[in-house]
Amino acid sequence: MKINLLNNILVGLFAVFIFVSCGMIKNVEQGTAVKVLLEKKLLDSIKEHELDIQWLKARGNALINIKNEAPQEIDLNIRSKADSLIWLNISKFKKRIFRGEFKKDSVKMVIEYPEKLFFKGSIASLERDFNLSIPYALIEDLLTGRSYLKHLEDKLILQVRNNEYHLLSHRKRKTKRITNNKTKKSANYIYQSWIDPFTYKCKRINIIFPSSNSEIKIFYKQWEKINNQYFPMEIELIISNLELEYNLLINYKSIKFDLPQKFPFKSIDDKYQPIKFND
């Protein structure tokens, strides 16, 4: 009787220890710990801590790597107005080579070098030409370090892995079945993100778009505090489909919030020829 009672006490204490250990997330480097949040509380906390701006002006450089081609370093000038427009200017050795204007349902862009080319059309047509899924909201979020969570409709699965929150739309087995076309009903997207439990900032995003067999991976690094908000000064983007893989590493040098911007765009004349993506 006494042995059984002792065993029960020990088992009980062990269970309590396991529960407490699993209910905390630790920062080994700083020697701190926080309590694990439930899904609703976590989503509310992420939303509360996400970048809240209307205007962005950013300068920096980027390294572009396309499969089987030599990496290219370029200079970036980015301006945006929330939920409205993204303006992008790319130059190399102080010579402008690209300018683009992205809206929710349309794209306008010109290439200045080595040929004068242009494109005007819908985002849907651009996605078809590249065989990639690139929603406008995702472009806006990836440039500003956001999680893309507010654009998702499906209920998410919450896990804790390696002292980080892991949010996913589908479990591993279901993801494999969808990507292998072994389900009766496919999915519009398969989403995963990794969230810092102390800052509630998104560290990494992985989205698969089964309809186009494409995948986007985003890594946010080097967070800095600017105007009392945290912003990733380094962003790595990997976009892939069955044919190609594009790798973009952005290093921001200058960031300014909520200064109204102008979006200059040179008129497209007869010197420019339409881009033919499938040639």
Side-chain angles (χ1 to χ4, degrees), residues 131-133 190 192 204 206-209 212-217 237-242 246:
N131 192 30
L132 294 169
S133 295
I190 298 171
Q192 295 184 72
R204 175 183 166 193
N206 185 25
I207 307 178
I208 297 172
F209 297 97
S212 60
N213 289 310
S214 61
E215 183 174 7
I216 296 178
K217 297 178 181 179
L237 172 67
I238 301 172
I239 306 176
S240 60
N241 57 22
L242 296 177
Y246 307 83

Side-chain angles (χ1 to χ4, degrees), residues 90-104:
I90 297 176
S91 59
K92 189 175 177 68
F93 303 126
K94 297 184 178 181
K95 180 180 178 64
R96 187 171 71 227
I97 59 176
F98 173 92
R99 180 167 287 179
E101 185 181 272
F102 301 85
K103 297 182 179 180
K104 285 189 173 182

Side-chain angles (χ1 to χ4, degrees), residues 58-85:
R59 289 182 179 273
N61 54 53
L63 188 67
I64 301 177
N65 197 337
I66 302 175
K67 186 179 179 181
N68 298 326
E69 294 187 16
Q72 297 288 332
E73 187 171 356
I74 57 174
D75 295 317
L76 293 177
N77 185 346
I78 300 170
R79 303 176 187 181
S80 71
K81 183 179 180 182
D83 299 320
S84 178
L85 189 150

Side-chain angles (χ1 to χ4, degrees), residues 35-74:
K35 186 178 179 181
V36 173
L37 301 181
L38 297 178
E39 181 185 340
K40 185 180 184 307
K41 179 65 175 175
L42 174 61
L43 294 176
D44 288 343
S45 298
I46 295 171
K47 182 179 179 181
E48 180 183 349
H49 288 81
E50 281 206 313
L51 187 68
D52 183 17
I53 59 172
Q54 290 299 310
W55 300 87
L56 171 70
K57 183 178 182 180
R59 289 182 179 273
N61 54 53
L63 188 67
I64 301 177
N65 197 337
I66 302 175
K67 186 179 179 181
N68 298 326
E69 294 187 16
Q72 297 288 332
E73 187 171 356
I74 57 174

Side-chain angles (χ1 to χ4, degrees), residues 46-190:
I46 295 171
K47 182 179 179 181
E48 180 183 349
H49 288 81
E50 281 206 313
L51 187 68
D52 183 17
I53 59 172
Q54 290 299 310
W55 300 87
L56 171 70
K57 183 178 182 180
R59 289 182 179 273
N61 54 53
L63 188 67
I64 301 177
N65 197 337
I66 302 175
K67 186 179 179 181
N68 298 326
E69 294 187 16
Q72 297 288 332
E73 187 171 356
I74 57 174
D75 295 317
L76 293 177
N77 185 346
I78 300 170
R79 303 176 187 181
S80 71
K81 183 179 180 182
D83 299 320
S84 178
L85 189 150
I86 299 168
W87 179 92
L88 173 65
N89 189 84
I90 297 176
S91 59
K92 189 175 177 68
F93 303 126
K94 297 184 178 181
K95 180 180 178 64
R96 187 171 71 227
I97 59 176
F98 173 92
R99 180 167 287 179
E101 185 181 272
F102 301 85
K103 297 182 179 180
K104 285 189 173 182
D105 56 2
S106 66
V107 178
K108 181 169 63 173
M109 56 188 184
V110 295
I111 296 174
E112 301 286 353
Y113 181 83
E115 297 179 77
K116 289 186 175 293
L117 304 171
F118 79 93
F119 174 87
K120 289 176 69 176
S122 66
I123 284 187
S125 64
L126 191 65
E127 290 179 326
R128 287 193 299 270
D129 288 330
F130 279 98
N131 192 30
L132 294 169
S133 295
I134 318 172
Y136 172 87
L138 181 57
I139 299 174
E140 189 172 79
D141 275 14
L142 76 86
L143 290 174
T144 54
R146 296 192 181 104
S147 64
Y148 196 62
L149 284 167
K150 69 178 183 180
H151 304 288
L152 304 181
E153 299 177 354
D154 295 340
K155 184 175 175 60
L156 296 169
I157 301 164
L158 171 60
Q159 299 177 350
V160 177
R161 296 182 181 177
N162 299 321
N163 289 322
E164 294 177 344
Y165 289 114
H166 185 206
L167 290 165
L168 54 158
S169 60
H170 301 77
R171 296 189 185 277
K172 187 176 180 179
R173 182 178 295 180
K174 184 68 177 289
T175 296
K176 189 174 182 180
R177 287 178 58 83
I178 292 172
T179 54
N180 289 334
N181 295 316
K182 293 184 178 181
T183 57
K184 293 181 179 179
K185 185 179 179 181
S186 187
N188 293 327
Y189 58 81
I190 298 171

